[in-house]
Amino acid sequence: MKLVIGCDHGALTLKNEIKKVLADFPNIETVDMGTHTTDSVDYPAIAKAVCDEVAAGRAERGILLCGTGIGISIAANKIRGIRAALCHDVYSAKMARQHNDANILALGGRVLGPGPAGEIVRAFLTSDFEGGRHARRVDMIMQLENER
Ligand code: RB5
């Protein structure tokens, strides 16, 4: 599986910790879309860089991080085809995959420590979409992109 990851300056430290967790998954090829320094950057640009890869099918999943995870998840969910879930606990990360078929996990670098964040990432990567009634609801979500 190809996974793209990106962060703003508020989450560089946590992103680097998450990359260590990703290295435990031999079937995952991780591509880091930046940022690579603590210089201030605008999180919508990072969201676009990562989500464009997922929306175009060049990557299957993405992980986005900013200080809170809020701004970057809002930006991600503006992009057609993206279902970004901001998760700060393992249960939400599991449900985001099982019920919502989330293709992007968002995390807050100033909210979470590396231990909990790593467990959240593991849950996101090892949980599968259940389909069934959830597929109908996810389809309804995606139909909203065609309104207005
Ligand atoms: C940057 O200071 C901060 O606003 C950003 O990382 C994020 O928390 C926005 O939602």
Side-chain angles (χ1 to χ4, degrees):
M1 184 204 318
K2 187 168 171 184
L3 182 146
V4 275
I5 190 167
C7 70
D8 77 355
H9 53 285
L12 182 64
T13 302
L14 187 61
K15 182 182 73 175
N16 288 333
E17 292 296 327
I18 296 304
K19 285 168 69 178
K20 293 179 197 166
V21 173
L22 295 172
D24 287 344
F25 291 81
N27 62 325
I28 292 180
E29 177 199 353
T30 301
V31 178
D32 187 346
M33 309 292 289
T35 190
H36 302 288
T37 74
T38 53
D39 294 347
S40 183
V41 291
D42 297 327
Y43 58 80
I46 302 292
K48 179 171 165 44
V50 165
C51 292
D52 280 352
E53 294 303 296
V54 174
R58 291 188 289 271
E60 289 163 77
R61 304 265 184 94
I63 298 178
L64 285 170
L65 309 94
C66 67
T68 60
I70 297 170
I72 209 156
S73 61
I74 292 172
N77 278 314
K78 298 289 183 190
I79 296 170
R80 185 174 287 274
I82 295 303
R83 294 177 298 281
L86 173 58
C87 299
H88 286 149
D89 63 89
V90 167
Y91 178 77
S92 298
K94 194 172 160 187
M95 288 301 118
R97 287 292 308 133
Q98 291 183 349
H99 288 192
N100 311 118
D101 199 16
N103 48 16
I104 298 283
L105 172 67
L107 300 168
R110 295 172 180 154
V111 180
L112 285 172
E119 292 308 306
I120 289 165
V121 168
R122 287 178 196 281
F124 182 74
L125 295 175
T126 57
S127 303
D128 293 322
F129 183 47
E130 289 179 351
R133 68 186 187 281
H134 304 298
R136 182 181 70 251
R137 294 162 184 165
V138 170
D139 286 347
M140 290 172 72
I141 293 173
M142 303 323 285
Q143 279 302 318
L144 297 173
E145 293 180 340
N146 300 322
E147 295 186 10
R148 291 192 188 84

